[in-house]
């Protein structure tokens, strides 16, 4: 017996061509497509079947979508539940998974491109630079309407000095800046601010941390904004280079060049010259 199925689809940050091939395929096959017009670009669901039921959940509570899930369970239908970005990041999917279990619905999740990675890509920035930052902390500012665990604070995370991606914090940008500074980031730490990344009205900005709040206020960025902060985001990192593509670094698929290997061991990747440039 076909019990019906819900597939949670990551729509990506906005642009219709940033959804995965798998996600687009699910939408094209679904009997019911549930999406939020407040967060998801309409081009994402434009490929739904002509006879599919397409439901805008922008003003709906979880209970409002339950009827569609029950119908899917009763009639053996496929539901595409479309979420902005990646469903696993602030997607409120946990309670929907539980509803599927209670209804006897099969379910799975198709990942999507998250706003933080789209923001870094749009600014041609690498989040993890060797010897600068090898970690990414993804979080939100505490103290808002949604409670945060007591040990998860922006100030506490900032003490690591790693790259941070901050969601759902734009409306309190002054407090955000203060907490990042209090945690130990210097005022000159580079920041990237992405508003509605990959949408037609996208705005991408760079600024030092000491000017983060002023920059966001000047541009009236209160929502749909992700902030990246950390030393790895600086434009240009002469002297830093990954070992992976270094000619002196041996791995399973490539032998090391003897001279380059000696140089790497003696001086590190930063001292090697390639094509006249110090890396």
């Amino acid at each position: 017996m076909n019990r019906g199925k819900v597939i949670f689809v990551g729509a990506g940050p906005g642009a219709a061509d940033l959804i995965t091939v798998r996600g687009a395929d699910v939408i094209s096959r679904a009997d019911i497509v549930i999406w939020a017009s407040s967060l998801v670009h309409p081009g994402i669901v434009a490929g739904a079947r002509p006879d599919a039921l397409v439901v805008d959940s922008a003003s709906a509570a979880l209970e409002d979508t339950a009827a569609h899930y029950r119908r899917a369970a009763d009639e053996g239908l496929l539901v595409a539940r479309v979420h902005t970005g990646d469903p696993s990041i602030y997607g409120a999917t946990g309670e929907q998974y539980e509803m599927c279990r209670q209804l006897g619905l099969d379910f799975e999740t198709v990942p999507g491109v998250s706003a933080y990675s789209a923001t870094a890509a749009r600014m041609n920035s690498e989040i993890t630079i060797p010897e600068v930052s090898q970690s990414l902390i993804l979080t939100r500012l505490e103290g808002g309407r949604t409670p945060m665990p007591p040990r998860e604070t922006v100030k506490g995370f900032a003490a690591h000095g790693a790259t941070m991606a901050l969601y759902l914090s734009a409306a309190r940008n002054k407090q955000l800046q203060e907490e990042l500074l209090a945690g130990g980031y210097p005022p000159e730490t580079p920041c990237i601010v992405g508003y509605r990344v990959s949408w037609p009205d996208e705005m991408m900005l760079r600024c030092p941390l000491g000017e983060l709040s002023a920059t966001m206020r000047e541009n009236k960025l209160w929502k749909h904004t992700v902030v990246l902060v950390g030393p790895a985001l600086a434009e240009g990192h002469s002297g830093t280079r990954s070992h992976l593509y270094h000619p002196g670094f041996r791995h399973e698929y490539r032998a090391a060049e003897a001279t380059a290997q000696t140089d790497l061991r003696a001086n590190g990747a930063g001292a090697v010259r390639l094509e006249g440039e110090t890396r």
Side-chain angles (χ1 to χ4, degrees):
M1 177 181 178
N2 188 351
R3 300 189 304 170
K5 187 171 188 177
V6 178
I7 302 182
F8 297 87
V9 176
D17 59 353
L18 279 177
I19 190 173
T20 65
V21 173
R22 183 179 298 182
D25 175 67
V26 171
I27 292 171
S28 72
R29 294 187 291 108
D31 302 293
I32 303 173
V33 177
I34 303 175
W35 71 300
S37 61
S38 56
L39 297 169
V40 176
H41 192 283
I44 295 291
V45 298
R49 285 178 7 214
D51 62 334
L53 174 64
V54 180
V55 180
D56 184 357
S57 65
S59 61
L62 175 65
E63 289 74 12
D64 297 322
T65 62
H68 302 296
Y69 284 28
R70 281 194 293 270
R71 180 187 167 199
D74 292 340
E75 301 179 25
L77 303 179
L78 173 62
V79 178
R81 180 63 171 100
V82 184
H83 282 264
T84 184
D86 183 277
S88 67
I89 302 174
Y90 303 120
T93 51
E95 57 261 44
Q96 296 182 75
Y97 296 158
E98 182 57 29
M99 185 162 64
C100 290
R101 293 187 186 100
Q102 293 175 1
L103 292 170
L105 275 167
D106 291 330
F107 61 93
E108 65 178 82
T109 301
V110 176
V113 177
S114 182
Y116 82 84
S117 56
T119 297
R122 288 290 290 117
M123 300 300 275
N124 297 310
S125 293
E126 186 174 352
I127 289 171
T128 53
I129 298 291
E131 303 174 54
V132 178
S133 176
Q134 290 286 282
S135 303
L136 170 67
I137 298 170
L138 195 155
T139 190
R140 60 183 294 175
L141 181 64
E142 68 277 8
R145 293 190 295 174
T146 300
M148 288 281 285
R151 296 178 62 186
E152 295 186 12
T153 67
V154 167
K155 179 180 176 181
F157 287 138
H160 295 281
T163 307
M164 289 181 66
L166 297 127
Y167 285 68
L168 306 169
S169 306
R172 295 178 292 141
N173 51 67
K174 185 174 186 296
Q175 182 185 351
L176 177 62
Q177 176 179 313
E178 291 172 348
E179 292 299 306
L180 289 167
L181 289 169
Y185 285 119
E188 64 272 17
T189 303
C191 295
I192 297 175
V193 182
Y195 169 76
R196 286 170 65 88
V197 182
S198 81
W199 289 69
D201 58 345
E202 167 192 274
M203 185 183 301
M204 302 297 304
L205 302 166
R206 283 187 181 272
C207 67
L209 176 56
E211 299 174 13
L212 176 63
S213 179
T215 300
M216 296 178 73
R217 288 172 181 266
E218 178 183 352
N219 291 280
K220 298 180 174 59
L221 302 182
W222 316 117
K223 60 181 181 177
H224 304 313
T225 302
V226 62
V227 175
L228 304 183
V229 58
L233 303 175
E235 294 185 278
H237 281 282
S238 60
T240 59
R241 178 181 171 184
S242 170
H243 283 200
L244 180 59
Y245 296 109
H246 190 289
F249 185 70
R250 178 182 59 83
H251 58 68
E252 181 182 0
Y253 297 97
R254 188 185 68 230
E257 295 179 9
T259 302
Q261 187 177 48
T262 300
D263 195 13
L264 177 62
R265 288 173 176 172
N267 303 303
V272 175
R273 291 181 178 273
L274 284 182
E275 300 175 350
E277 179 183 358
T278 300
R279 297 293 183 96

